[in-house]
mmCIF file of all heavy atoms in Angstrom:
data_model
loop_
_atom_site.group_PDB
_atom_site.id
_atom_site.type_symbol
_atom_site.label_atom_id
_atom_site.label_comp_id
_atom_site.label_asym_id
_atom_site.label_seq_id
_atom_site.Cartn_x
_atom_site.Cartn_y
_atom_site.Cartn_z
ATOM 1 N N LEU A 1 41.651 127.139 -78.974
ATOM 2 C CA LEU A 1 40.430 127.295 -79.747
ATOM 3 C C LEU A 1 39.931 128.721 -79.576
ATOM 4 O O LEU A 1 39.520 129.130 -78.485
ATOM 5 C CB LEU A 1 39.360 126.292 -79.287
ATOM 6 C CG LEU A 1 37.986 126.427 -79.935
ATOM 7 C CD1 LEU A 1 38.068 126.347 -81.458
ATOM 8 C CD2 LEU A 1 37.028 125.361 -79.410
ATOM 9 N N ASP A 2 39.991 129.477 -80.651
ATOM 10 C CA ASP A 2 39.618 130.886 -80.613
ATOM 11 C C ASP A 2 38.205 131.039 -81.173
ATOM 12 O O ASP A 2 37.970 130.732 -82.352
ATOM 13 C CB ASP A 2 40.617 131.705 -81.437
ATOM 14 C CG ASP A 2 40.219 133.176 -81.479
ATOM 15 O OD1 ASP A 2 39.701 133.666 -80.463
ATOM 16 O OD2 ASP A 2 40.404 133.814 -82.537
ATOM 17 N N ILE A 3 37.291 131.485 -80.315
ATOM 18 C CA ILE A 3 35.917 131.740 -80.745
ATOM 19 C C ILE A 3 35.824 133.208 -81.118
ATOM 20 O O ILE A 3 36.056 134.091 -80.293
ATOM 21 C CB ILE A 3 34.917 131.376 -79.635
ATOM 22 C CG1 ILE A 3 35.050 129.883 -79.286
ATOM 23 C CG2 ILE A 3 33.488 131.690 -80.067
ATOM 24 C CD1 ILE A 3 34.161 129.434 -78.144
ATOM 25 N N ASP A 4 35.491 133.457 -82.358
ATOM 26 C CA ASP A 4 35.477 134.828 -82.877
ATOM 27 C C ASP A 4 34.557 135.707 -82.040
ATOM 28 O O ASP A 4 33.438 135.289 -81.695
ATOM 29 C CB ASP A 4 35.014 134.814 -84.338
ATOM 30 C CG ASP A 4 35.256 136.144 -85.016
ATOM 31 O OD1 ASP A 4 34.401 137.029 -84.862
ATOM 32 O OD2 ASP A 4 36.285 136.265 -85.710
ATOM 33 N N PRO A 5 34.994 136.928 -81.704
ATOM 34 C CA PRO A 5 34.141 137.831 -80.911
ATOM 35 C C PRO A 5 32.830 138.159 -81.609
ATOM 36 O O PRO A 5 31.847 138.502 -80.949
ATOM 37 C CB PRO A 5 35.006 139.084 -80.757
ATOM 38 C CG PRO A 5 36.415 138.600 -80.934
ATOM 39 C CD PRO A 5 36.345 137.501 -81.926
ATOM 40 N N GLY A 6 32.801 138.037 -82.933
ATOM 41 C CA GLY A 6 31.570 138.339 -83.661
ATOM 42 C C GLY A 6 30.575 137.198 -83.690
ATOM 43 O O GLY A 6 29.518 137.311 -84.321
ATOM 44 N N THR A 7 30.887 136.081 -83.035
ATOM 45 C CA THR A 7 29.969 134.927 -83.028
ATOM 46 C C THR A 7 28.677 135.295 -82.307
ATOM 47 O O THR A 7 28.707 135.791 -81.176
ATOM 48 C CB THR A 7 30.635 133.726 -82.330
ATOM 49 O OG1 THR A 7 31.755 133.303 -83.110
ATOM 50 C CG2 THR A 7 29.652 132.571 -82.194
ATOM 51 N N ALA A 8 27.569 135.085 -82.982
ATOM 52 C CA ALA A 8 26.260 135.388 -82.394
ATOM 53 C C ALA A 8 25.233 134.459 -83.034
ATOM 54 O O ALA A 8 24.932 134.581 -84.209
ATOM 55 C CB ALA A 8 25.880 136.846 -82.635
ATOM 56 N N VAL A 9 24.706 133.537 -82.235
ATOM 57 C CA VAL A 9 23.740 132.563 -82.736
ATOM 58 C C VAL A 9 22.550 132.523 -81.789
ATOM 59 O O VAL A 9 22.707 132.197 -80.611
ATOM 60 C CB VAL A 9 24.373 131.158 -82.858
ATOM 61 C CG1 VAL A 9 23.335 130.175 -83.384
ATOM 62 C CG2 VAL A 9 25.592 131.184 -83.753
ATOM 63 N N GLY A 10 21.376 132.882 -82.325
ATOM 64 C CA GLY A 10 20.162 132.799 -81.522
ATOM 65 C C GLY A 10 19.455 131.485 -81.760
ATOM 66 O O GLY A 10 20.081 130.457 -82.049
ATOM 67 N N THR A 11 18.145 131.484 -81.661
ATOM 68 C CA THR A 11 17.353 130.288 -81.904
ATOM 69 C C THR A 11 17.218 130.097 -83.413
ATOM 70 O O THR A 11 16.641 130.946 -84.094
ATOM 71 C CB THR A 11 15.971 130.411 -81.259
ATOM 72 O OG1 THR A 11 16.132 130.654 -79.856
ATOM 73 C CG2 THR A 11 15.161 129.148 -81.487
ATOM 74 N N THR A 12 17.730 129.000 -83.918
ATOM 75 C CA THR A 12 17.739 128.773 -85.372
ATOM 76 C C THR A 12 16.704 127.759 -85.825
ATOM 77 O O THR A 12 16.370 127.704 -87.008
ATOM 78 C CB THR A 12 19.123 128.273 -85.816
ATOM 79 O OG1 THR A 12 19.377 127.002 -85.187
ATOM 80 C CG2 THR A 12 20.206 129.268 -85.432
ATOM 81 N N GLY A 13 16.223 126.916 -84.923
ATOM 82 C CA GLY A 13 15.297 125.863 -85.334
ATOM 83 C C GLY A 13 15.986 124.672 -85.964
ATOM 84 O O GLY A 13 15.329 123.694 -86.335
ATOM 85 N N ILE A 14 17.294 124.730 -86.119
ATOM 86 C CA ILE A 14 18.039 123.597 -86.669
ATOM 87 C C ILE A 14 18.173 122.543 -85.578
ATOM 88 O O ILE A 14 18.494 122.882 -84.429
ATOM 89 C CB ILE A 14 19.425 124.050 -87.165
ATOM 90 C CG1 ILE A 14 19.261 125.104 -88.263
ATOM 91 C CG2 ILE A 14 20.236 122.870 -87.679
ATOM 92 C CD1 ILE A 14 20.573 125.738 -88.678
ATOM 93 N N PRO A 15 17.917 121.280 -85.872
ATOM 94 C CA PRO A 15 18.039 120.242 -84.841
ATOM 95 C C PRO A 15 19.391 120.295 -84.144
ATOM 96 O O PRO A 15 20.437 120.400 -84.796
ATOM 97 C CB PRO A 15 17.857 118.939 -85.622
ATOM 98 C CG PRO A 15 17.041 119.333 -86.819
ATOM 99 C CD PRO A 15 17.484 120.715 -87.173
ATOM 100 N N SER A 16 19.353 120.233 -82.821
ATOM 101 C CA SER A 16 20.598 120.338 -82.064
ATOM 102 C C SER A 16 21.552 119.199 -82.394
ATOM 103 O O SER A 16 22.780 119.389 -82.405
ATOM 104 C CB SER A 16 20.290 120.347 -80.564
ATOM 105 O OG SER A 16 19.572 119.170 -80.197
ATOM 106 N N GLY A 17 20.984 118.016 -82.689
ATOM 107 C CA GLY A 17 21.865 116.898 -83.048
ATOM 108 C C GLY A 17 22.659 117.179 -84.306
ATOM 109 O O GLY A 17 23.843 116.835 -84.401
ATOM 110 N N ASP A 18 22.003 117.821 -85.294
ATOM 111 C CA ASP A 18 22.726 118.150 -86.533
ATOM 112 C C ASP A 18 23.773 119.219 -86.289
ATOM 113 O O ASP A 18 24.874 119.176 -86.859
ATOM 114 C CB ASP A 18 21.731 118.624 -87.600
ATOM 115 C CG ASP A 18 20.879 117.484 -88.131
ATOM 116 O OD1 ASP A 18 21.277 116.325 -87.928
ATOM 117 O OD2 ASP A 18 19.819 117.743 -88.730
ATOM 118 N N LEU A 19 23.461 120.204 -85.425
ATOM 119 C CA LEU A 19 24.461 121.221 -85.103
ATOM 120 C C LEU A 19 25.677 120.605 -84.425
ATOM 121 O O LEU A 19 26.826 120.949 -84.735
ATOM 122 C CB LEU A 19 23.843 122.289 -84.187
ATOM 123 C CG LEU A 19 22.944 123.332 -84.864
ATOM 124 C CD1 LEU A 19 22.352 124.266 -83.823
ATOM 125 C CD2 LEU A 19 23.728 124.123 -85.902
ATOM 126 N N VAL A 20 25.426 119.674 -83.500
ATOM 127 C CA VAL A 20 26.536 119.006 -82.822
ATOM 128 C C VAL A 20 27.364 118.205 -83.820
ATOM 129 O O VAL A 20 28.599 118.212 -83.774
ATOM 130 C CB VAL A 20 25.998 118.097 -81.701
ATOM 131 C CG1 VAL A 20 27.087 117.171 -81.179
ATOM 132 C CG2 VAL A 20 25.437 118.940 -80.565
ATOM 133 N N THR A 21 26.673 117.496 -84.741
ATOM 134 C CA THR A 21 27.403 116.709 -85.743
ATOM 135 C C THR A 21 28.280 117.601 -86.606
ATOM 136 O O THR A 21 29.461 117.292 -86.847
ATOM 137 C CB THR A 21 26.398 115.952 -86.626
ATOM 138 O OG1 THR A 21 25.655 115.037 -85.820
ATOM 139 C CG2 THR A 21 27.128 115.167 -87.717
ATOM 140 N N ILE A 22 27.712 118.709 -87.079
ATOM 141 C CA ILE A 22 28.458 119.590 -87.988
ATOM 142 C C ILE A 22 29.614 120.269 -87.266
ATOM 143 O O ILE A 22 30.785 120.163 -87.675
ATOM 144 C CB ILE A 22 27.505 120.638 -88.609
ATOM 145 C CG1 ILE A 22 26.464 119.935 -89.487
ATOM 146 C CG2 ILE A 22 28.285 121.666 -89.422
ATOM 147 C CD1 ILE A 22 25.342 120.839 -89.963
ATOM 148 N N VAL A 23 29.317 120.996 -86.168
ATOM 149 C CA VAL A 23 30.347 121.771 -85.481
ATOM 150 C C VAL A 23 31.357 120.858 -84.792
ATOM 151 O O VAL A 23 32.577 121.082 -84.863
ATOM 152 C CB VAL A 23 29.690 122.729 -84.461
ATOM 153 C CG1 VAL A 23 30.756 123.468 -83.657
ATOM 154 C CG2 VAL A 23 28.800 123.726 -85.190
ATOM 155 N N GLY A 24 30.859 119.782 -84.141
ATOM 156 C CA GLY A 24 31.779 118.904 -83.416
ATOM 157 C C GLY A 24 32.791 118.237 -84.323
ATOM 158 O O GLY A 24 33.995 118.206 -84.017
ATOM 159 N N ASN A 25 32.322 117.701 -85.454
ATOM 160 C CA ASN A 25 33.261 117.034 -86.362
ATOM 161 C C ASN A 25 34.222 118.018 -87.023
ATOM 162 O O ASN A 25 35.410 117.710 -87.220
ATOM 163 C CB ASN A 25 32.487 116.257 -87.425
ATOM 164 C CG ASN A 25 31.941 114.942 -86.901
ATOM 165 O OD1 ASN A 25 32.674 114.004 -86.613
ATOM 166 N ND2 ASN A 25 30.627 114.884 -86.748
ATOM 167 N N LEU A 26 33.735 119.208 -87.380
ATOM 168 C CA LEU A 26 34.630 120.204 -87.976
ATOM 169 C C LEU A 26 35.707 120.641 -86.975
ATOM 170 O O LEU A 26 36.890 120.781 -87.331
ATOM 171 C CB LEU A 26 33.826 121.406 -88.460
ATOM 172 C CG LEU A 26 32.926 121.182 -89.683
ATOM 173 C CD1 LEU A 26 32.184 122.459 -90.041
ATOM 174 C CD2 LEU A 26 33.755 120.715 -90.888
ATOM 175 N N LEU A 27 35.321 120.847 -85.712
ATOM 176 C CA LEU A 27 36.305 121.245 -84.701
ATOM 177 C C LEU A 27 37.286 120.113 -84.405
ATOM 178 O O LEU A 27 38.494 120.351 -84.235
ATOM 179 C CB LEU A 27 35.590 121.673 -83.423
ATOM 180 C CG LEU A 27 34.814 123.006 -83.509
ATOM 181 C CD1 LEU A 27 34.106 123.287 -82.189
ATOM 182 C CD2 LEU A 27 35.773 124.154 -83.853
ATOM 183 N N ASP A 28 36.788 118.864 -84.325
ATOM 184 C CA ASP A 28 37.700 117.731 -84.082
ATOM 185 C C ASP A 28 38.729 117.621 -85.194
ATOM 186 O O ASP A 28 39.936 117.425 -84.937
ATOM 187 C CB ASP A 28 36.900 116.429 -83.982
ATOM 188 C CG ASP A 28 36.148 116.316 -82.667
ATOM 189 O OD1 ASP A 28 36.524 117.021 -81.721
ATOM 190 O OD2 ASP A 28 35.181 115.523 -82.606
ATOM 191 N N ASN A 29 38.276 117.742 -86.444
ATOM 192 C CA ASN A 29 39.227 117.674 -87.553
ATOM 193 C C ASN A 29 40.215 118.829 -87.514
ATOM 194 O O ASN A 29 41.410 118.661 -87.815
ATOM 195 C CB ASN A 29 38.468 117.683 -88.886
ATOM 196 C CG ASN A 29 37.885 116.329 -89.216
ATOM 197 O OD1 ASN A 29 38.089 115.375 -88.476
ATOM 198 N ND2 ASN A 29 37.140 116.241 -90.295
ATOM 199 N N ALA A 30 39.717 120.028 -87.169
ATOM 200 C CA ALA A 30 40.597 121.196 -87.124
ATOM 201 C C ALA A 30 41.637 121.057 -86.016
ATOM 202 O O ALA A 30 42.821 121.424 -86.202
ATOM 203 C CB ALA A 30 39.766 122.455 -86.920
ATOM 204 N N ILE A 31 41.223 120.543 -84.841
ATOM 205 C CA ILE A 31 42.180 120.357 -83.739
ATOM 206 C C ILE A 31 43.253 119.340 -84.140
ATOM 207 O O ILE A 31 44.454 119.535 -83.895
ATOM 208 C CB ILE A 31 41.436 119.936 -82.467
ATOM 209 C CG1 ILE A 31 40.544 121.070 -81.961
ATOM 210 C CG2 ILE A 31 42.416 119.502 -81.381
ATOM 211 C CD1 ILE A 31 39.605 120.672 -80.835
ATOM 212 N N ASP A 32 42.808 118.219 -84.762
ATOM 213 C CA ASP A 32 43.784 117.215 -85.212
ATOM 214 C C ASP A 32 44.734 117.804 -86.243
ATOM 215 O O ASP A 32 45.945 117.519 -86.228
ATOM 216 C CB ASP A 32 43.048 116.014 -85.808
ATOM 217 C CG ASP A 32 42.311 115.206 -84.756
ATOM 218 O OD1 ASP A 32 42.650 115.344 -83.570
ATOM 219 O OD2 ASP A 32 41.383 114.438 -85.127
ATOM 220 N N ALA A 33 44.188 118.632 -87.163
ATOM 221 C CA ALA A 33 45.042 119.222 -88.199
ATOM 222 C C ALA A 33 46.014 120.228 -87.594
ATOM 223 O O ALA A 33 47.179 120.330 -88.026
ATOM 224 C CB ALA A 33 44.169 119.897 -89.257
ATOM 225 N N ALA A 34 45.575 121.019 -86.574
ATOM 226 C CA ALA A 34 46.451 121.996 -85.953
ATOM 227 C C ALA A 34 47.628 121.326 -85.250
ATOM 228 O O ALA A 34 48.745 121.869 -85.203
ATOM 229 C CB ALA A 34 45.652 122.852 -84.969
ATOM 230 N N LEU A 35 47.386 120.139 -84.689
ATOM 231 C CA LEU A 35 48.462 119.424 -83.998
ATOM 232 C C LEU A 35 49.579 118.999 -84.938
ATOM 233 O O LEU A 35 50.699 118.735 -84.495
ATOM 234 C CB LEU A 35 47.886 118.192 -83.286
ATOM 235 C CG LEU A 35 47.028 118.491 -82.044
ATOM 236 C CD1 LEU A 35 46.354 117.228 -81.545
ATOM 237 C CD2 LEU A 35 47.889 119.108 -80.936
ATOM 238 N N THR A 36 49.259 118.897 -86.252
ATOM 239 C CA THR A 36 50.294 118.493 -87.211
ATOM 240 C C THR A 36 51.136 119.676 -87.667
ATOM 241 O O THR A 36 52.146 119.479 -88.333
ATOM 242 C CB THR A 36 49.635 117.846 -88.444
ATOM 243 O OG1 THR A 36 48.812 118.815 -89.107
ATOM 244 C CG2 THR A 36 48.788 116.649 -88.045
ATOM 245 N N GLY A 37 50.723 120.910 -87.335
ATOM 246 C CA GLY A 37 51.450 122.097 -87.769
ATOM 247 C C GLY A 37 52.438 122.576 -86.704
ATOM 248 O O GLY A 37 52.584 122.007 -85.620
ATOM 249 N N GLU A 38 53.103 123.678 -87.026
ATOM 250 C CA GLU A 38 54.071 124.270 -86.109
ATOM 251 C C GLU A 38 53.354 125.203 -85.133
ATOM 252 O O GLU A 38 52.291 125.746 -85.443
ATOM 253 C CB GLU A 38 55.109 125.069 -86.901
ATOM 254 C CG GLU A 38 55.939 124.230 -87.861
ATOM 255 C CD GLU A 38 56.817 123.228 -87.112
ATOM 256 O OE1 GLU A 38 57.209 123.525 -85.958
ATOM 257 O OE2 GLU A 38 57.089 122.149 -87.668
ATOM 258 N N PRO A 39 53.913 125.375 -83.908
ATOM 259 C CA PRO A 39 53.328 126.339 -82.959
ATOM 260 C C PRO A 39 53.381 127.763 -83.534
ATOM 261 O O PRO A 39 54.270 128.062 -84.344
ATOM 262 C CB PRO A 39 54.214 126.202 -81.715
ATOM 263 C CG PRO A 39 54.886 124.858 -81.878
ATOM 264 C CD PRO A 39 55.057 124.666 -83.341
ATOM 265 N N PRO A 40 52.456 128.625 -83.150
ATOM 266 C CA PRO A 40 51.343 128.350 -82.228
ATOM 267 C C PRO A 40 50.240 127.564 -82.929
ATOM 268 O O PRO A 40 49.892 127.857 -84.074
ATOM 269 C CB PRO A 40 50.874 129.753 -81.848
ATOM 270 C CG PRO A 40 51.229 130.583 -83.035
ATOM 271 C CD PRO A 40 52.492 130.023 -83.587
ATOM 272 N N ARG A 41 49.684 126.577 -82.234
ATOM 273 C CA ARG A 41 48.638 125.727 -82.803
ATOM 274 C C ARG A 41 47.274 126.307 -82.423
ATOM 275 O O ARG A 41 46.923 126.336 -81.237
ATOM 276 C CB ARG A 41 48.789 124.294 -82.304
ATOM 277 C CG ARG A 41 50.125 123.662 -82.702
ATOM 278 C CD ARG A 41 50.228 122.242 -82.188
ATOM 279 N NE ARG A 41 51.452 121.592 -82.660
ATOM 280 C CZ ARG A 41 52.615 121.591 -82.005
ATOM 281 N NH1 ARG A 41 52.684 122.217 -80.820
ATOM 282 N NH2 ARG A 41 53.673 121.000 -82.496
ATOM 283 N N GLU A 42 46.528 126.718 -83.420
ATOM 284 C CA GLU A 42 45.268 127.413 -83.156
ATOM 285 C C GLU A 42 44.164 126.908 -84.081
ATOM 286 O O GLU A 42 44.426 126.457 -85.194
ATOM 287 C CB GLU A 42 45.435 128.935 -83.361
ATOM 288 C CG GLU A 42 46.427 129.570 -82.408
ATOM 289 C CD GLU A 42 46.577 131.063 -82.679
ATOM 290 O OE1 GLU A 42 46.146 131.497 -83.788
ATOM 291 O OE2 GLU A 42 47.104 131.773 -81.819
ATOM 292 N N VAL A 43 42.928 127.046 -83.582
ATOM 293 C CA VAL A 43 41.718 126.771 -84.366
ATOM 294 C C VAL A 43 40.800 127.974 -84.196
ATOM 295 O O VAL A 43 40.548 128.414 -83.057
ATOM 296 C CB VAL A 43 41.008 125.481 -83.905
ATOM 297 C CG1 VAL A 43 39.662 125.326 -84.624
ATOM 298 C CG2 VAL A 43 41.887 124.268 -84.167
ATOM 299 N N HIS A 44 40.316 128.482 -85.296
ATOM 300 C CA HIS A 44 39.443 129.654 -85.254
ATOM 301 C C HIS A 44 38.017 129.231 -85.629
ATOM 302 O O HIS A 44 37.794 128.580 -86.654
ATOM 303 C CB HIS A 44 39.941 130.728 -86.232
ATOM 304 C CG HIS A 44 39.098 131.961 -86.230
ATOM 305 N ND1 HIS A 44 39.160 132.908 -85.228
ATOM 306 C CD2 HIS A 44 38.154 132.406 -87.091
ATOM 307 C CE1 HIS A 44 38.309 133.881 -85.480
ATOM 308 N NE2 HIS A 44 37.674 133.590 -86.613
#
């Protein structure tokens, strides 16, 4: 899992539960999709 060096997130006021739902599900799907591909298996 590669976290872009340009990632910068301050206080957004967005509910933390919604952030977890959005980012967590997108990353879970991306990890599952990467496992179906050829090495190197990466998520950005």
Side-chain angles (χ1 to χ4, degrees):
L1 175 56
D2 177 36
I3 300 177
D4 192 276
T7 295
V9 180
T11 303
T12 63
I14 300 172
S16 58
D18 288 343
L19 282 177
V20 168
T21 297
I22 295 170
V23 176
N25 282 291
L26 290 180
L27 290 178
D28 286 340
N29 281 357
I31 293 171
D32 290 341
L35 288 172
T36 63
E38 297 295 331
R41 299 180 175 91
E42 297 179 344
V43 173
H44 181 76

